[in-house]
Amino acid sequence: MIWLDVTKTADARHKSGLTRVTTKVRAALGEAANEHRWLPRQGWNVPASPDDWYLTAEVFAPHERPGFGEFVRQRPVKLAAIFHDAIPLELPHITWPKSVGRHPLYLSMLAEFDRVLAVSNYSRERLLGFWKWQGRAVRAQVDVIPSGADFLVPVAGGLSRGGARGPHALHLGIAPGYSKRPLVLCVGILEPRKNQTFLLKVAETLWAEGLDFDLTFVGRINPHFGRPIARALRQSRARYLGAVSDEKLVQLYREATVCALPTLAEGNGLPLLEALWCGTPCIASELPPLQENGGEGCLLAPTGGETAWAIALRGVIARPDFAAQFRSQAATRRATLPRWADTARALQSFLSA
């Protein structure tokens, strides 16, 4: 049996990338997993077998979960974690201070787990490098697991509030992506790392040239860093929609001419995968984890390179023939992209090995 950690996910008002992964994994695992919440003064109170697995895709710290450190040391079950990234240590100046303070101990504790499943080869190498720098003795075996690209969602009920009784997928097909004007879509939490103001600056250059297109931003606001970004978007020609449902997000992907991801750092880059699943081509930062998922339907541009980004976007916006060809390339990717069912199968295979 897999005991899936939903401590933060169950109570989260907004679905971050981490809670999004937990939700999708929960739905895909179905009856193969039970939910577990680390509650104050309760800790691990589960009648589990030593052969069971405790699986977490969340970021944790012992001071946030009283007794969790002792649980890891005693290991009444086998321990596995999905590891996303080391961004709080790589970009501390633009990361929520609480995350920066938590991350070193979190990475250290992962070394005591039995299995760690990284969301990209890049994240795996960063984690191994951190442990080597620390000089830590490492128990964990570290592998890479695919992230689903499809929009698998749990049925009504939700995590730890009636349980997910089975998954269903959003089968909406692939739209041609044409609207009255070309649409550039940017998906991600509003924070400096996602680099929305950079994309807005490039767009303003193209608008000044006379190019006619729409620019839409989707994502919740980082309460520590995001308000100035939201203010800049709302004062511009762009449209900011805030956080949206999966159903709405699929609609936006299908309507978009291109999805733009100018991010400064990623562990995996779910929006790129999800855009391709909907048949939407992407222009994205030239980052190692995005390179892993690149290929047909993706154009990678230098991170922060205004000229290169302007050229790339201009080509899609001003040349309908190129935009159609680019979209056709993206549409071919759907058959080869991993689904959340593939993620669940890979998880079960790793944990049974």
PDB file of all heavy atoms in Angstrom, residues 22 43 55 69 114 129 138 148 150 175 184 201 207 212 217 224 248 260 282 287 318 333 350:
ATOM      1  N   THR A  22       0.643  16.588  -6.499  1.00  0.00           N
ATOM      2  CA  THR A  22       0.040  15.667  -5.541  1.00  0.00           C
ATOM      3  C   THR A  22      -1.387  15.320  -5.948  1.00  0.00           C
ATOM      4  O   THR A  22      -1.806  14.151  -5.881  1.00  0.00           O
ATOM      5  CB  THR A  22       0.046  16.279  -4.127  1.00  0.00           C
ATOM      6  OG1 THR A  22       1.404  16.467  -3.706  1.00  0.00           O
ATOM      7  CG2 THR A  22      -0.649  15.371  -3.129  1.00  0.00           C
ATOM      8  N   GLY A  43       0.706  12.833  14.272  1.00  0.00           N
ATOM      9  CA  GLY A  43       1.855  12.240  13.592  1.00  0.00           C
ATOM     10  C   GLY A  43       1.471  10.995  12.812  1.00  0.00           C
ATOM     11  O   GLY A  43       0.450  10.937  12.148  1.00  0.00           O
ATOM     12  N   LEU A  55       4.675   8.085   0.645  1.00  0.00           N
ATOM     13  CA  LEU A  55       5.100   8.842  -0.528  1.00  0.00           C
ATOM     14  C   LEU A  55       4.674  10.296  -0.376  1.00  0.00           C
ATOM     15  O   LEU A  55       3.503  10.586  -0.114  1.00  0.00           O
ATOM     16  CB  LEU A  55       4.463   8.256  -1.791  1.00  0.00           C
ATOM     17  CG  LEU A  55       4.627   9.064  -3.087  1.00  0.00           C
ATOM     18  CD1 LEU A  55       6.089   9.145  -3.512  1.00  0.00           C
ATOM     19  CD2 LEU A  55       3.780   8.458  -4.211  1.00  0.00           C
ATOM     20  N   GLY A  69      10.607  14.279  12.006  1.00  0.00           N
ATOM     21  CA  GLY A  69      12.003  13.856  11.996  1.00  0.00           C
ATOM     22  C   GLY A  69      12.183  12.502  12.658  1.00  0.00           C
ATOM     23  O   GLY A  69      12.928  11.644  12.157  1.00  0.00           O
ATOM     24  N   ASP A 114      14.255   6.205   1.283  1.00  0.00           N
ATOM     25  CA  ASP A 114      14.669   5.025   0.522  1.00  0.00           C
ATOM     26  C   ASP A 114      14.725   5.308  -0.972  1.00  0.00           C
ATOM     27  O   ASP A 114      15.656   4.885  -1.650  1.00  0.00           O
ATOM     28  CB  ASP A 114      13.696   3.864   0.803  1.00  0.00           C
ATOM     29  CG  ASP A 114      13.707   3.446   2.263  1.00  0.00           C
ATOM     30  OD1 ASP A 114      14.713   2.860   2.698  1.00  0.00           O
ATOM     31  OD2 ASP A 114      12.718   3.733   2.964  1.00  0.00           O
ATOM     32  N   GLY A 129      24.206  16.808  -6.370  1.00  0.00           N
ATOM     33  CA  GLY A 129      25.284  17.769  -6.158  1.00  0.00           C
ATOM     34  C   GLY A 129      25.220  18.413  -4.787  1.00  0.00           C
ATOM     35  O   GLY A 129      26.260  18.657  -4.153  1.00  0.00           O
ATOM     36  N   VAL A 138      24.374   9.022   1.996  1.00  0.00           N
ATOM     37  CA  VAL A 138      23.092   9.005   1.305  1.00  0.00           C
ATOM     38  C   VAL A 138      22.522   7.597   1.290  1.00  0.00           C
ATOM     39  O   VAL A 138      23.169   6.661   0.813  1.00  0.00           O
ATOM     40  CB  VAL A 138      23.240   9.526  -0.137  1.00  0.00           C
ATOM     41  CG1 VAL A 138      21.922   9.422  -0.889  1.00  0.00           C
ATOM     42  CG2 VAL A 138      23.723  10.974  -0.125  1.00  0.00           C
ATOM     43  N   GLY A 148       2.975  13.934 -15.866  1.00  0.00           N
ATOM     44  CA  GLY A 148       1.901  13.847 -16.842  1.00  0.00           C
ATOM     45  C   GLY A 148       1.661  15.165 -17.543  1.00  0.00           C
ATOM     46  O   GLY A 148       1.819  16.237 -16.965  1.00  0.00           O
ATOM     47  N   ASP A 150      -1.322  15.362 -19.545  1.00  0.00           N
ATOM     48  CA  ASP A 150      -2.765  15.430 -19.741  1.00  0.00           C
ATOM     49  C   ASP A 150      -3.452  16.073 -18.540  1.00  0.00           C
ATOM     50  O   ASP A 150      -2.882  16.181 -17.459  1.00  0.00           O
ATOM     51  CB  ASP A 150      -3.337  14.027 -19.968  1.00  0.00           C
ATOM     52  CG  ASP A 150      -3.069  13.081 -18.804  1.00  0.00           C
ATOM     53  OD1 ASP A 150      -1.964  13.131 -18.246  1.00  0.00           O
ATOM     54  OD2 ASP A 150      -3.969  12.309 -18.449  1.00  0.00           O
ATOM     55  N   ALA A 175      -8.083  22.397 -30.766  1.00  0.00           N
ATOM     56  CA  ALA A 175      -8.671  23.456 -31.586  1.00  0.00           C
ATOM     57  C   ALA A 175      -7.608  24.050 -32.492  1.00  0.00           C
ATOM     58  O   ALA A 175      -6.412  23.925 -32.241  1.00  0.00           O
ATOM     59  CB  ALA A 175      -9.268  24.543 -30.682  1.00  0.00           C
ATOM     60  N   VAL A 184      -1.011  35.319 -27.392  1.00  0.00           N
ATOM     61  CA  VAL A 184       0.149  34.815 -26.664  1.00  0.00           C
ATOM     62  C   VAL A 184      -0.301  34.578 -25.230  1.00  0.00           C
ATOM     63  O   VAL A 184      -0.813  35.485 -24.570  1.00  0.00           O
ATOM     64  CB  VAL A 184       1.317  35.817 -26.706  1.00  0.00           C
ATOM     65  CG1 VAL A 184       2.501  35.288 -25.897  1.00  0.00           C
ATOM     66  CG2 VAL A 184       1.726  36.090 -28.146  1.00  0.00           C
ATOM     67  N   LYS A 201       7.524  43.449 -21.431  1.00  0.00           N
ATOM     68  CA  LYS A 201       8.417  44.422 -22.085  1.00  0.00           C
ATOM     69  C   LYS A 201       8.642  44.056 -23.552  1.00  0.00           C
ATOM     70  O   LYS A 201       8.627  44.933 -24.426  1.00  0.00           O
ATOM     71  CB  LYS A 201       9.748  44.477 -21.338  1.00  0.00           C
ATOM     72  CG  LYS A 201      10.704  45.520 -21.862  1.00  0.00           C
ATOM     73  CD  LYS A 201      11.976  45.578 -21.031  1.00  0.00           C
ATOM     74  CE  LYS A 201      12.933  46.650 -21.542  1.00  0.00           C
ATOM     75  NZ  LYS A 201      14.187  46.689 -20.725  1.00  0.00           N
ATOM     76  N   TRP A 207       4.191  45.656 -29.889  1.00  0.00           N
ATOM     77  CA  TRP A 207       3.013  46.525 -30.061  1.00  0.00           C
ATOM     78  C   TRP A 207       3.428  47.877 -30.658  1.00  0.00           C
ATOM     79  O   TRP A 207       2.724  48.437 -31.497  1.00  0.00           O
ATOM     80  CB  TRP A 207       2.304  46.740 -28.722  1.00  0.00           C
ATOM     81  CG  TRP A 207       1.464  45.565 -28.288  1.00  0.00           C
ATOM     82  CD1 TRP A 207       0.747  44.733 -29.085  1.00  0.00           C
ATOM     83  CD2 TRP A 207       1.251  45.119 -26.946  1.00  0.00           C
ATOM     84  NE1 TRP A 207       0.094  43.782 -28.323  1.00  0.00           N
ATOM     85  CE2 TRP A 207       0.382  43.998 -27.005  1.00  0.00           C
ATOM     86  CE3 TRP A 207       1.696  45.551 -25.692  1.00  0.00           C
ATOM     87  CZ2 TRP A 207      -0.046  43.309 -25.868  1.00  0.00           C
ATOM     88  CZ3 TRP A 207       1.271  44.871 -24.559  1.00  0.00           C
ATOM     89  CH2 TRP A 207       0.424  43.762 -24.643  1.00  0.00           C
ATOM     90  N   ASP A 212      -0.440  43.496 -34.106  1.00  0.00           N
ATOM     91  CA  ASP A 212      -1.726  43.430 -33.417  1.00  0.00           C
ATOM     92  C   ASP A 212      -1.908  42.019 -32.862  1.00  0.00           C
ATOM     93  O   ASP A 212      -2.112  41.064 -33.626  1.00  0.00           O
ATOM     94  CB  ASP A 212      -2.856  43.777 -34.394  1.00  0.00           C
ATOM     95  CG  ASP A 212      -4.195  43.905 -33.694  1.00  0.00           C
ATOM     96  OD1 ASP A 212      -4.212  44.134 -32.471  1.00  0.00           O
ATOM     97  OD2 ASP A 212      -5.222  43.749 -34.382  1.00  0.00           O
ATOM     98  N   PHE A 217      -2.153  36.635 -19.319  1.00  0.00           N
ATOM     99  CA  PHE A 217      -1.414  35.997 -18.225  1.00  0.00           C
ATOM    100  C   PHE A 217      -2.397  35.257 -17.314  1.00  0.00           C
ATOM    101  O   PHE A 217      -3.466  35.781 -16.986  1.00  0.00           O
ATOM    102  CB  PHE A 217      -0.655  37.038 -17.401  1.00  0.00           C
ATOM    103  CG  PHE A 217       0.467  37.707 -18.143  1.00  0.00           C
ATOM    104  CD1 PHE A 217       0.241  38.852 -18.901  1.00  0.00           C
ATOM    105  CD2 PHE A 217       1.758  37.189 -18.087  1.00  0.00           C
ATOM    106  CE1 PHE A 217       1.281  39.475 -19.578  1.00  0.00           C
ATOM    107  CE2 PHE A 217       2.807  37.806 -18.766  1.00  0.00           C
ATOM    108  CZ  PHE A 217       2.560  38.950 -19.516  1.00  0.00           C
ATOM    109  N   HIS A 224       4.248  37.341  -1.521  1.00  0.00           N
ATOM    110  CA  HIS A 224       5.464  38.019  -1.070  1.00  0.00           C
ATOM    111  C   HIS A 224       6.062  38.911  -2.153  1.00  0.00           C
ATOM    112  O   HIS A 224       6.604  39.973  -1.862  1.00  0.00           O
ATOM    113  CB  HIS A 224       6.502  36.987  -0.617  1.00  0.00           C
ATOM    114  CG  HIS A 224       7.625  37.571   0.187  1.00  0.00           C
ATOM    115  ND1 HIS A 224       7.526  37.809   1.534  1.00  0.00           N
ATOM    116  CD2 HIS A 224       8.864  37.983  -0.179  1.00  0.00           C
ATOM    117  CE1 HIS A 224       8.662  38.327   1.980  1.00  0.00           C
ATOM    118  NE2 HIS A 224       9.488  38.449   0.957  1.00  0.00           N
ATOM    119  N   LYS A 248     -10.972  25.897 -17.742  1.00  0.00           N
ATOM    120  CA  LYS A 248     -10.684  27.190 -18.366  1.00  0.00           C
ATOM    121  C   LYS A 248      -9.280  27.224 -18.949  1.00  0.00           C
ATOM    122  O   LYS A 248      -9.055  27.783 -20.040  1.00  0.00           O
ATOM    123  CB  LYS A 248     -10.846  28.308 -17.327  1.00  0.00           C
ATOM    124  CG  LYS A 248     -10.543  29.711 -17.852  1.00  0.00           C
ATOM    125  CD  LYS A 248     -11.491  30.121 -18.962  1.00  0.00           C
ATOM    126  CE  LYS A 248     -11.233  31.563 -19.386  1.00  0.00           C
ATOM    127  NZ  LYS A 248     -12.111  31.970 -20.515  1.00  0.00           N
ATOM    128  N   ALA A 260       3.942  31.264 -24.107  1.00  0.00           N
ATOM    129  CA  ALA A 260       5.267  31.838 -23.845  1.00  0.00           C
ATOM    130  C   ALA A 260       5.640  31.610 -22.387  1.00  0.00           C
ATOM    131  O   ALA A 260       4.883  31.958 -21.482  1.00  0.00           O
ATOM    132  CB  ALA A 260       5.262  33.327 -24.160  1.00  0.00           C
ATOM    133  N   CYS A 282       5.085  26.204 -28.084  1.00  0.00           N
ATOM    134  CA  CYS A 282       5.663  26.972 -26.981  1.00  0.00           C
ATOM    135  C   CYS A 282       6.944  27.676 -27.399  1.00  0.00           C
ATOM    136  O   CYS A 282       7.757  27.114 -28.149  1.00  0.00           O
ATOM    137  CB  CYS A 282       5.992  26.057 -25.804  1.00  0.00           C
ATOM    138  SG  CYS A 282       4.567  25.247 -25.063  1.00  0.00           S
ATOM    139  N   LEU A 287      16.355  26.588 -20.751  1.00  0.00           N
ATOM    140  CA  LEU A 287      16.781  26.014 -19.479  1.00  0.00           C
ATOM    141  C   LEU A 287      16.902  24.501 -19.604  1.00  0.00           C
ATOM    142  O   LEU A 287      16.140  23.875 -20.355  1.00  0.00           O
ATOM    143  CB  LEU A 287      15.760  26.344 -18.378  1.00  0.00           C
ATOM    144  CG  LEU A 287      15.495  27.826 -18.089  1.00  0.00           C
ATOM    145  CD1 LEU A 287      14.343  27.955 -17.096  1.00  0.00           C
ATOM    146  CD2 LEU A 287      16.754  28.493 -17.553  1.00  0.00           C
ATOM    147  N   ALA A 318       3.402  37.479 -36.765  1.00  0.00           N
ATOM    148  CA  ALA A 318       3.327  38.169 -38.057  1.00  0.00           C
ATOM    149  C   ALA A 318       3.258  37.222 -39.251  1.00  0.00           C
ATOM    150  O   ALA A 318       2.974  37.668 -40.362  1.00  0.00           O
ATOM    151  CB  ALA A 318       4.531  39.104 -38.216  1.00  0.00           C
ATOM    152  N   ARG A 333       2.993  16.027 -30.956  1.00  0.00           N
ATOM    153  CA  ARG A 333       3.643  15.620 -29.712  1.00  0.00           C
ATOM    154  C   ARG A 333       2.705  14.865 -28.766  1.00  0.00           C
ATOM    155  O   ARG A 333       3.153  14.129 -27.899  1.00  0.00           O
ATOM    156  CB  ARG A 333       4.180  16.861 -28.975  1.00  0.00           C
ATOM    157  CG  ARG A 333       5.296  17.594 -29.700  1.00  0.00           C
ATOM    158  CD  ARG A 333       6.579  16.782 -29.701  1.00  0.00           C
ATOM    159  NE  ARG A 333       7.011  16.450 -28.361  1.00  0.00           N
ATOM    160  CZ  ARG A 333       7.689  17.277 -27.553  1.00  0.00           C
ATOM    161  NH1 ARG A 333       8.001  18.494 -27.980  1.00  0.00           N
ATOM    162  NH2 ARG A 333       8.079  16.886 -26.352  1.00  0.00           N
ATOM    163  N   PHE A 350       8.821   1.759  -9.635  1.00  0.00           N
ATOM    164  CA  PHE A 350       9.978   2.126  -8.813  1.00  0.00           C
ATOM    165  C   PHE A 350       9.832   1.617  -7.381  1.00  0.00           C
ATOM    166  O   PHE A 350      10.797   1.136  -6.781  1.00  0.00           O
ATOM    167  CB  PHE A 350      10.178   3.638  -8.813  1.00  0.00           C
ATOM    168  CG  PHE A 350      10.834   4.182 -10.049  1.00  0.00           C
ATOM    169  CD1 PHE A 350      10.259   5.226 -10.758  1.00  0.00           C
ATOM    170  CD2 PHE A 350      12.019   3.659 -10.513  1.00  0.00           C
ATOM    171  CE1 PHE A 350      10.843   5.738 -11.897  1.00  0.00           C
ATOM    172  CE2 PHE A 350      12.629   4.153 -11.662  1.00  0.00           C
ATOM    173  CZ  PHE A 350      12.046   5.199 -12.341  1.00  0.00           C
TER     174      PHE A 350
END
